[in-house]
Amino acid sequence: MVEIEVCPGNTRFKLRPNLALPSWSRILTRYYCRILYLDMPKETQNSEELLETLPETIAALFQGAQTSNATHKRRVNTLCKLFIEATKVIQTQVSQRKGVQGPVQLLTGEKAFNRAFWSILRHVLNVKRGIVAADRVLRFVGAFIGALMISEDITNEESNEDQTPRDRFLERLVARIIIGCTAKDKTPRFRCTQLLSELLRQIPSLEDETYNKIKSSLLERCTDREWTIRAISCIGLGVLARVEASEYQNATESSEDRQVTTVLEELCQHDVHHQVRIAALPGMALPLNPTSLVILLSRCRDIDASVRKMAFRLLSQIQARALSVSQRSTAVRNGLGDRDPQVRAEATKLIYRWAIGCSAVDQFHPDTSKSAKTRVQASVKVDLDEFLDLFDLWDGEVAEEALRALIYKRPDLMDEVNLNHPDYWSAFSPSKAILARVFTEIVAATTQQSDSSREMGLSSILSVDSGFSNRTR
């Protein structure tokens, strides 16, 4: 937690993770932060007061950002307005250099904001992994940079400038973070790599020079001796891999263009730690290509259950027709035959997603909520014949297992099967034969189970009655 200690004419910042402040200190900090929000810089406030209160105001925003993610959006908007006000503070003075005539403009407010922002952020970069408050602050910084890059107020004011204040701010911030990525201590290396990955997730576009610097730094961190740093760098490289795939999908990709994808493919197969393989899988697998599909299917047989679970979760985002018949059969056989129950559950979800794809309702609007999608999928009618055609029906073992898992997931699908109808047998097919076989097996197993449970209930009642009669005698 960033503790703000108010001193006359001075402000000090301390990072005290997992340490509860005294009650009077919390009250003082909360009261002081409230004053800072009330005294945010306005158009009527002069530049001197703005520069004097700049460190305290930024510190108050960081103080509140580490407590909860719910207030990040409001604090990001406040920090963006503060940045706009600070960039408007420009001082003009006569140049004392030889050969330079006329007044020179000094970016006083922009430099003051950069110094105040970095003086607070550098304390967070020295916090060990696992501190939730530091993770929230870095997420807040990424959200602020992303909102700053797409702010319309700044775009309208900087339309005639070659290098805008936000570009200079991002360039200097990235340069400082990249230096921290090569630190001797593993803690700043991890935090700086984490911040770079967060910036890539939030920023829509980057300049070529900045992009290449971040890319080189993350590629270097992929070979770090600490698995935590390798895992967090894979998240950032996953974003770069998706960007490169979208740019070069219609062109012939060279070895240099596929450098990021190649590194992720190597990491998700050969890294010794399972968390690194999990972090490398999404960036390698999506968007789909023939090479990444083969590697993704191979990860369904990984030695670690969490990697296998992530592989089936990524396969559920791919359309069933994008896989061949043999690949679909291999995925179902490996998933339903896995020894881990969580992996089998993910494989069942994959099969259910393929079944939903065989219905009329497959695509949803991007704004559709998860609960609405679940309600629609639970009531949609699945074409079981088309679903069974996804597999090799001559070797019907895999198709039977997939159909059985689907029926256990959606028992109401049994109501749609009517074997007594003449039309069912008039146009007979291999898929209908497998459906009839699985249907009769499930009905027979359910009937036998209900009979056995009824007998067990009757025997328990008789034993209770006999025991009661013996006690009565």
Side-chain angles (χ1 to χ4, degrees):
M1 177 176 293
V2 179
E3 177 188 354
I4 304 177
E5 184 178 352
V6 184
C7 300
N10 185 23
T11 304
R12 293 182 291 174
F13 309 98
K14 297 181 180 179
L15 198 65
R16 304 176 61 184
N18 292 340
L19 183 61
L21 297 177
S23 58
W24 61 268
S25 180
R26 292 198 300 268
I27 295 174
L28 176 61
T29 303
R30 192 177 306 165
Y31 176 73
Y32 186 65
C33 294
R34 187 178 301 174
I35 293 177
L36 292 176
Y37 278 118
L38 294 176
D39 294 340
M40 284 301 297
K42 300 179 181 180
E43 297 180 356
T44 57
Q45 186 179 16
N46 55 34
S47 58
E48 294 182 358
E49 294 179 355
L50 173 63
L51 297 182
E52 289 178 359
T53 60
L54 195 59
E56 291 86 353
T57 308
I58 297 177
L61 294 173
F62 273 72
Q63 172 72 27
Q66 64 180 327
T67 57
S68 175
N69 296 328
T71 60
H72 278 189
K73 185 176 181 180
R74 175 171 57 87
R75 298 179 192 278
V76 163
N77 295 334
T78 304
L79 193 56
C80 288
K81 294 178 182 178
L82 183 63
F83 177 81
I84 296 175
E85 293 294 333
T87 54
K88 294 179 181 179
V89 180
I90 301 176
Q91 294 181 357
T92 304
Q93 66 178 16
V94 180
S95 177
Q96 298 179 359
R97 296 182 180 180
K98 295 182 180 180
V100 180
Q101 299 179 357
V104 178
Q105 292 183 347
L106 301 178
L107 305 177
T108 308
E110 181 179 341
K111 294 180 179 179
F113 185 90
N114 293 342
R115 287 194 299 268
F117 189 87
W118 177 252
S119 64
I120 300 173
L121 179 61
R122 63 187 179 90
H123 293 282
V124 186
L125 300 178
N126 200 28
V127 183
K128 294 183 179 180
R129 183 180 67 92
I131 306 300
V132 182
D135 298 335
R136 290 183 183 136
V137 171
L138 294 184
R139 195 176 298 112
F140 167 73
V141 172
F144 162 66
I145 301 297
L148 194 64
M149 293 296 109
I150 62 175
S151 178
E152 297 181 356
D153 298 336
I154 303 178
T155 304
N156 296 332
E157 296 178 2
E158 300 173 350
S159 57
N160 298 327
E161 298 184 17
D162 295 335
Q163 191 176 19
T164 60
R166 59 181 178 183
D167 293 336
R168 291 191 293 267
F169 172 74
L170 179 61
E171 181 180 355
R172 293 168 184 171
L173 181 63
V174 169
R176 288 169 172 172
I177 296 173
I178 290 178
I179 295 176
C181 291
T182 59
K184 183 178 180 181
D185 191 2
K186 64 179 180 180
T187 299
R189 285 205 317 271
F190 171 76
R191 289 300 180 185
C192 291
T193 309
Q194 182 185 11
L195 185 54
L196 283 181
S197 301
E198 188 67 30
L199 291 179
L200 289 177
R201 292 177 55 216
Q202 299 290 343
I203 299 176
S205 61
L206 288 171
E207 296 183 355
D208 294 339
E209 184 178 358
T210 305
Y211 177 85
N212 293 329
K213 288 180 180 179
I214 296 177
K215 177 181 175 181
S216 301
S217 180
L218 291 178
L219 287 174
E220 183 181 358
R221 289 306 96 205
C222 282
T223 59
D224 198 278
R225 62 178 179 270
E226 299 291 335
W227 70 266
T228 55
I229 301 176
R230 297 198 305 270
I232 202 68
S233 64
C234 288
I235 298 177
L237 288 177
V239 180
L240 297 181
R242 287 189 287 271
V243 172
E244 292 182 356
S246 62
E247 291 179 355
Y248 299 103
Q249 60 181 355
N250 297 327
T252 303
E253 296 186 2
S254 61
S255 59
E256 183 180 358
D257 298 332
R258 287 183 49 83
Q259 182 181 8
V260 176
T261 306
T262 305
V263 170
L264 291 176
E265 291 175 356
E266 293 293 331
L267 287 173
C268 71
Q269 293 182 92
H270 306 300
D271 197 276
V272 295
H273 203 279
H274 67 279
Q275 290 292 344
V276 181
R277 299 197 298 272
I278 292 175
L281 270 177
M284 182 275 305
L286 301 175
L288 186 67
N289 58 72
T291 305
S292 62
L293 179 58
V294 173
I295 298 176
L296 182 60
L297 290 173
S298 67
R299 290 305 91 202
C300 296
R301 300 282 292 175
D302 195 273
I303 60 176
D304 191 84
S306 57
V307 181
R308 301 195 299 270
K309 182 179 177 181
M310 175 59 70
F312 281 105
R313 187 174 300 173
L314 292 174
L315 280 175
S316 63
Q317 303 180 21
I318 303 173
Q319 296 293 332
R321 298 296 181 182
L323 283 72
S324 63
V325 176
S326 61
Q327 290 174 341
R328 289 192 291 264
S329 301
T330 303
V332 172
R333 186 183 297 109
N334 294 336
L336 296 181
D338 197 277
R339 60 181 178 271
D340 192 274
Q342 295 183 355
V343 179
R344 293 198 299 269
E346 288 294 334
T348 304
K349 293 179 182 178
L350 170 64
I351 295 172
Y352 182 59
R353 183 67 184 85
W354 288 351
I356 294 298
C358 297
S359 61
V361 181
D362 185 24
Q363 302 293 333
F364 294 93
H365 193 271
D367 297 335
T368 306
S369 61
K370 185 177 180 180
S371 59
K373 291 181 181 179
T374 305
R375 289 194 301 269
V376 173
Q377 291 179 354
S379 59
V380 69
K381 184 178 180 180
V382 178
D383 190 350
L384 296 178
D385 291 339
E386 184 178 355
F387 170 73
L388 290 174
D389 289 338
L390 297 176
F391 306 98
D392 185 11
L393 299 181
W394 293 105
D395 183 14
E397 182 179 357
V398 177
E400 290 179 10
E401 294 295 332
L403 181 60
R404 191 174 288 108
L406 176 62
I407 292 177
Y408 285 144
K409 179 75 175 179
R410 283 275 306 273
D412 59 292
L413 295 177
M414 298 281 290
D415 301 336
E416 303 176 2
V417 180
N418 186 9
L419 301 182
N420 298 326
H421 200 280
D423 295 339
Y424 185 88
W425 304 100
S426 60
F428 204 62
S429 62
S431 60
K432 288 187 176 181
I434 294 177
L435 179 60
R437 181 191 306 171
V438 173
F439 177 80
T440 53
E441 289 178 356
I442 293 178
V443 170
T446 305
T447 305
Q448 183 178 1
Q449 183 179 4
S450 61
D451 293 341
S452 61
S453 61
R454 190 181 303 109
E455 291 177 0
M456 290 178 60
L458 182 60
S459 62
S460 62
I461 293 174
L462 293 176
S463 63
V464 170
D465 290 342
S466 61
F468 178 76
S469 59
N470 294 330
R471 286 194 299 269
T472 305
R473 292 176 183 176

